[in-house]
């Protein structure tokens, strides 16, 4: 198969979906699509699994600045190091763990792990924590289905992740505060669903530990630099005060010498004046 040959069943990469999304954004800016059409096609883009599903989305749109129908690359370009594409593993990866139960106890999923496409958890008189800050994702969209009965479940996501909350609360509740935050390009979507009965499911957005440590180190260096600057200003101020004190003491010494000098209105005792000798003294 050549690179130009159609391969509708070939799995599309996250980079391929981002290229199609960029064409849609350009079409929206040029007025070729209205907002409703743009949103529908964008949702279809991120839900597409194969090139065959991606190709029709932009078939009636020109590529950037040309009238040629946009094509989808059949080769997977490597994502930039540290990008979301590196963390969305895709394929047949079902995740490190797919369920958790806490009955009068607790559970945690944190650190380096792969979040599955669907994670089911149950907490009864207990609590659980699902930390996605350092996790990989089995797909671009994952679902966390949480049931909390007289207990609680906390979901922690990193900045840039899109959050959608669809849970039902009965004498309990789901946290919707992180909904509506614009996601970063290529970032995964986390859907939180389930039931909270006399309990709650919270969603928090926190920085990864490495990023927090980096920011703490930056703040420490800034405080140290500020401390050094204040110390330098204090030393300079002390030196100025010392010099002013010396100058004041010198002025006081001179004034004291002037006050002790004998009164000589004719300046007869001036050491700088020499008396002229009269002719009769010669």
């Amino acid at each position: 198969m050549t690179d130009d040959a159609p391969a509708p069943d070939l799995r599309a990469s996250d980079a391929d979906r981002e290229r199609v999304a960029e064409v849609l954004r350009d079409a929206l800016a040029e007025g070729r699509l209205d907002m409703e059409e743009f949103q529908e096609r964008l949702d279809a883009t991120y839900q597409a699994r194969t090139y065959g599903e991606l190709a029709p989305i932009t078939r009636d749109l020109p590529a950037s600045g040309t009238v040629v129908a946009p094509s989808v690359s059949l080769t997977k370009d490597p994502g930039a190091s540290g990008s979301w594409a590196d963390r969305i593993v895709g394929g047949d990866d079902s995740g490190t763990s797919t369920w958790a139960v806490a009955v009068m106890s607790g559970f945690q999923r944190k650190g380096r792990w792969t979040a599955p496409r669907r994670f089911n958890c149950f907490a009864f008189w207990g609590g659980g924590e699902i930390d996605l800050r350092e996790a990989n994702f089995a797909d671009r969209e994952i679902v966390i289905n949480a049931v909390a009965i007289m207990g609680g479940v906390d979901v922690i996501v990193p900045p840039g992740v899109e959050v959608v909350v669809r849970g039902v609360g009965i004498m309990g509740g789901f946290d919707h505060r992180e909904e509506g935050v614009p996601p970063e390009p290529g970032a995964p979507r986390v859907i939180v669903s389930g039931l909270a009965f006399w309990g709650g499911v919270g969603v928090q957005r926190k920085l990864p530990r490495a990023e927090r440590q980096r920011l703490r180190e930056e703040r420490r260096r800034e405080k140290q630099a500020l401390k050094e600057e204040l110390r330098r200003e204090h030393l300079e101020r002390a030196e100025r005060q010392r010099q002013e004190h010396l100058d004041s003491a010198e002025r006081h010494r001179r004034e004291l010498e002037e006050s002790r000098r004998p009164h000589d209105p004719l300046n007869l005792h001036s050491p700088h004046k020499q008396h002229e000798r009269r002719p009769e003294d010669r």
Side-chain angles (χ1 to χ4, degrees):
M1 178 186 297
T2 65
D3 287 347
D4 296 329
D9 296 331
L10 189 64
R11 300 280 292 192
S13 69
D14 190 66
D16 296 324
R17 284 185 283 269
E18 282 304 314
R19 280 193 288 270
V20 174
E22 187 63 30
V23 173
L24 295 177
R25 295 187 187 99
D26 291 342
L28 176 65
E30 295 167 357
R32 301 179 190 274
L33 296 176
D34 58 28
M35 183 57 71
E36 184 177 355
E37 291 174 319
F38 169 74
Q39 191 60 50
E40 290 177 356
R41 296 195 187 198
L42 190 65
D43 290 341
T45 298
Y46 286 129
Q47 293 173 5
R49 296 287 181 270
T50 64
Y51 291 115
E53 295 174 354
L54 275 178
I57 296 174
T58 55
R59 184 169 293 159
D60 59 343
L61 297 174
S64 301
T66 68
V67 294
V68 181
S71 60
V72 177
S73 173
L74 298 183
T75 60
K76 181 176 177 62
D77 296 331
S81 178
S83 67
W84 287 112
D86 296 333
R87 297 179 60 179
I88 302 176
V89 294
D92 297 328
D93 195 330
S94 59
T96 305
S97 173
T98 58
W99 62 275
V101 175
V103 178
M104 294 183 287
S105 61
F107 68 83
Q108 281 187 331
R109 298 294 183 273
K110 60 192 303 185
R112 295 288 183 178
W113 67 295
T114 301
R117 293 181 177 86
R118 185 177 182 86
F119 184 87
N120 297 303
C121 58
F122 175 76
F124 175 73
W125 278 18
E129 180 182 85
I130 304 169
D131 192 339
L132 301 173
R133 288 177 293 176
E134 300 177 11
N136 292 326
F137 298 83
D139 206 340
R140 189 190 174 277
E141 180 177 286
I142 68 169
V143 177
I144 296 177
N145 184 55
V147 176
I149 299 177
M150 293 181 286
V153 175
D154 289 326
V155 180
I156 303 174
V157 300
V161 170
E162 181 181 2
V163 175
V164 179
V165 180
R166 298 175 181 170
V168 177
I170 301 175
M171 292 183 287
F174 277 72
D175 191 350
H176 290 259
R177 288 177 296 178
E178 297 300 336
E179 275 194 306
V181 178
E184 294 178 358
R189 177 186 294 121
V190 177
I191 299 175
V192 182
S193 63
L195 172 69
F197 178 72
W198 280 16
V201 177
V203 182
Q204 304 178 60
R205 196 180 298 271
K206 294 183 179 180
L207 290 171
R209 291 178 179 83
E211 183 68 12
R212 288 211 314 267
Q213 291 175 357
R214 184 184 66 81
L215 292 176
R216 279 199 298 266
E217 182 62 22
E218 286 184 358
R219 286 195 294 268
R220 187 191 67 79
R221 287 197 296 265
E222 289 174 357
K223 289 181 179 179
Q224 185 66 25
L226 179 60
K227 186 176 179 181
E228 289 296 326
E229 179 68 20
L230 293 175
R231 178 175 173 273
R232 185 166 57 252
E233 291 179 358
H234 175 73
L235 292 175
E236 291 176 355
R237 186 167 55 251
E239 179 62 22
R240 286 196 301 269
Q241 291 174 349
R242 188 185 71 85
Q243 189 62 43
E244 290 173 359
H245 178 72
L246 292 176
D247 294 343
S248 177
E250 180 64 19
R251 286 195 301 269
H252 180 70
R253 185 186 65 79
R254 291 177 181 176
E255 291 172 357
L256 188 60
E257 288 181 354
E258 283 290 332
S259 66
R260 291 177 177 176
R261 183 173 299 170
H263 183 64
D264 186 11
L266 298 179
N267 201 22
L268 299 176
H269 297 88
S270 174
H272 303 288
K273 183 175 181 180
Q274 296 182 355
H275 296 287
E276 295 182 358
R277 300 177 62 186
R278 292 176 298 179
E280 56 272 20
D281 294 335
R282 295 177 182 174

